[in-house]
Amino acid sequence: MPVLAQKKAAWVTKVVLVMLTVAFVFSFMGRVVAQAAEGQSTEVVAGDAAASSGGNSQPASFHNPAGIIRGSENIKKISIAEFARNILETTGLYAFFVDSKQKTTPAGDPITVWGWEELLMIIVGFVIIYLGAAKGFEPLLLIPIGFGTVFVNIPLAGMGDAPHGFLHIIYESGVGNEFFPLIIFMGIGALTDFGPLIANPKTALLGAAAQFGVFATLFGVTAFNFIPGFDFNLKEACAIGIIGGADGPTTIYIATKLAPHLLATVAVAAYSYMALVPVIQPPIMKALTTEHERKIRMKQLRHVSKIEKILFPISVFVLSILLIPSAAPLIGCLMFGNFIREIGVVERLSKTLQNELLNIVSIFLSLGVGSQMTPEKFLNPASLSIVFLGLFAFAIATAAGILVAKFMNLFLKEKINPLIGSAGVSAVPMAARVSNKVGLEADPGNFLIMHAMGPNVAGVIGTAITAGVMIAVYGG
């Protein structure tokens, strides 16, 4: 920088500093004068009040250190010991190991929740975060669910308390009703390519087969009623059984319709099993298939035309309206998202659904689900049995898809790899990736991902239809 420019910059800087100093001095003097005038007025009023009461009251001032600060007359005075005790009782250590509070279970029964139970749930939340962040188990879901669990169990924070708690607002705004699930279905539709299903329609049977897990769990739930302390009705059984579809939004949707008091438990179970697909499915897949079956190679799928992809969502939506109107909201939102993806004239809307909107709603939905993981809702035999039954439903759904694929091979000239049957659950696209991964372990050159997407997207439709049937039968 030239010397002249440097001198000019220094001169400008000095002028600015002088102006700021003058402004600060005038501002400070103005405030002092205003405060002095206000203090004088207050002393006059206080003096008149003291005169009228016999002169026993004095205003708070530097000359009256024992006086009360103006505006604090109704605030309780505390001693140093009380101050220290209040500080101690508002620490997390005290709340975790000494404190307790009265809560209400989902069934409406009063219960005492101890601090150590909240600490246990916080530990569970950090374990969930670890599984998502370190192990890669569906991090987009598990990380916000884990943080929601930690947030809601922080003592004295009130993040889940009605009416103004952060997590309570999220839950009431979209999780405890059908708002977030339907938006999620729009996003899933915009991300989904139904081409593999259209090219190989028989794989839809594998998506339907996975619904065996849902209906088998209905019998499992009713069987629990023979155990003392368990009392599930058919609506609750439907909400629990749908976990087998591994479809979180659908689980939330049907629970809000049939068993709102179970929403917290079934939603957490559904999303947990969705995230644990890579852990739960491979052992079942390997146990039910032979090495030879896992090496079966399938023909490349035919090309699906643009017009087929455009007509498919409209056709499915119309059929749902005509045959199962109770499933039309879920299927309609799914097909709406897919239609704007395939039509090609609203690219901005399609990208918004696929990215920004889906990501934002997924964060809020996951935080809202995590906010329900509190001791009074989870640390009881009924809730733990729901988690167990959800795992049972998911395992049955996985096994049913594989077994039906093997049964179909008895009649098919061109065999299908039974591994893709496990993708009949609705965890899109993770279940298809797991099928592909297990297939590659048996034969590194056998790529099943596109074939597995057929039953995978069929499972999404199948679970929505199953939910619609349950709502139609028991929703009255």
Side-chain angles (χ1 to χ4, degrees):
M1 181 183 292
V3 177
L4 181 60
Q6 290 181 348
K7 289 182 178 180
K8 184 179 294 185
W11 181 79
V12 171
T13 302
K14 290 177 183 179
V15 171
V16 171
L17 289 174
V18 170
M19 293 174 65
L20 289 174
T21 303
V22 172
F24 173 77
V25 170
F26 275 97
S27 175
F28 180 75
M29 291 177 63
R31 291 190 179 186
V32 169
V33 172
Q35 290 177 358
E38 182 181 357
Q40 184 177 5
S41 174
T42 303
E43 288 178 2
V44 171
V45 173
D48 293 342
S52 63
S53 61
N56 294 325
S57 176
Q58 294 184 8
S61 66
F62 290 109
H63 302 290
N64 180 28
I68 299 175
I69 298 175
R70 181 162 46 89
S72 303
E73 293 82 4
N74 297 324
I75 298 178
K76 177 186 175 183
K77 292 183 178 181
I78 61 172
S79 64
I80 297 297
E82 289 176 313
F83 176 80
R85 184 171 64 253
N86 289 344
I87 291 295
L88 174 64
E89 291 178 356
T90 55
T91 61
L93 292 174
Y94 181 90
F96 287 141
F97 299 107
V98 180
D99 200 11
S100 66
K101 58 187 68 123
Q102 293 296 316
K103 294 288 187 75
T104 304
T105 65
D109 301 321
I111 187 175
T112 300
V113 174
W114 296 93
W116 64 266
E117 294 177 307
E118 293 180 317
L119 178 60
L120 178 61
M121 295 306 298
I122 288 177
I123 294 173
V124 170
F126 279 117
V127 170
I128 294 173
I129 294 170
Y130 171 78
L131 292 175
K135 297 298 183 180
F137 294 157
E138 201 66 23
L140 295 178
L141 293 176
L142 286 194
I143 290 177
I145 287 176
F147 271 99
T149 304
V150 174
F151 287 156
V152 78
N153 288 287
I154 297 175
L156 308 175
M159 296 183 73
D161 294 346
H164 302 303
F166 167 64
L167 295 175
H168 175 79
I169 293 172
I170 291 176
Y171 182 82
E172 292 297 325
S173 297
V175 182
N177 50 52
E178 61 185 41
F179 182 49
F180 286 168
L182 293 183
I183 292 180
I184 293 290
F185 256 64
M186 291 181 190
I188 293 173
L191 286 171
T192 301
D193 179 8
F194 285 106
L197 177 61
I198 300 171
N200 193 3
K202 60 179 174 287
T203 57
L205 295 174
L206 303 179
Q211 308 313 312
F212 277 110
V214 176
F215 292 103
T217 307
L218 290 176
F219 297 100
V221 174
T222 54
F224 262 81
N225 288 338
F226 291 101
I227 303 175
F230 294 92
D231 185 21
F232 294 117
N233 59 40
L234 285 174
K235 289 186 177 183
E236 293 169 337
C238 291
I240 297 169
I242 203 70
I243 298 173
D247 191 335
T250 303
T251 301
I252 293 174
Y253 185 84
I254 192 172
T256 58
K257 300 288 186 182
L258 300 182
H261 58 286
L262 295 183
L263 178 58
T265 311
V266 297
V268 171
Y271 275 100
S272 298
Y273 294 136
M274 284 176 63
L276 295 176
V277 164
V279 177
I280 298 171
Q281 284 197 324
I284 300 173
M285 297 162 70
K286 293 177 181 178
L288 296 178
T289 57
T290 65
E291 185 76 15
H292 173 72
E293 288 174 328
R294 292 195 289 273
K295 290 182 178 180
I296 293 176
R297 294 199 175 194
M298 300 176 64
K299 286 178 57 177
Q300 184 175 355
L301 296 172
R302 71 171 178 85
H303 173 71
V304 179
S305 66
K306 186 74 173 177
I307 189 65
E308 288 179 286
K309 290 187 175 183
I310 292 174
L311 290 176
F312 181 81
I314 296 297
S315 302
V316 174
F317 185 32
V318 170
L319 286 174
S320 70
I321 294 173
L322 295 176
L323 301 178
I324 315 175
S326 54
L330 287 171
I331 294 178
C333 288
L334 180 70
M335 296 307 160
F336 163 68
N338 186 253
F339 181 77
I340 65 173
R341 165 198 170 97
E342 301 297 349
I343 198 66
V345 297
V346 281
E347 193 66 23
R348 288 171 55 189
L349 297 182
S350 179
K351 288 183 177 179
T352 298
L353 281 178
Q354 293 178 34
N355 298 289
E356 291 86 357
L357 185 60
L358 182 60
N359 291 335
I360 291 170
V361 175
S362 294
I363 291 173
F364 287 145
L365 180 65
S366 300
L367 283 172
V369 169
S371 73
Q372 300 304 296
M373 293 186 66
T374 53
E376 70 275 12
K377 295 176 181 176
F378 267 84
L379 299 182
N380 59 76
S383 295
L384 295 178
S385 69
I386 290 174
V387 174
F388 168 77
L389 287 166
L391 177 60
F392 172 77
F394 188 67
I396 293 295
T398 301
I402 296 171
L403 294 176
V404 169
K406 296 179 69 168
F407 178 76
M408 290 172 62
N409 279 342
L410 298 175
F411 308 96
L412 293 175
K413 183 178 179 180
E414 295 179 359
K415 308 299 183 183
I416 60 177
N417 193 312
L419 292 177
I420 70 172
S422 65
V425 297
S426 302
V428 179
M430 180 173 286
R433 291 174 182 167
V434 172
S435 297
N436 184 63
K437 180 176 180 293
V438 176
L440 289 174
E441 291 174 357
D443 180 0
N446 191 10
F447 295 94
L448 298 172
I449 183 69
M450 292 307 297
H451 299 285
M453 283 302 298
N456 206 186
V457 297
V460 178
I461 299 174
T463 304
I465 292 174
T466 301
V469 170
M470 290 177 171
I471 293 171
V473 174
Y474 297 110

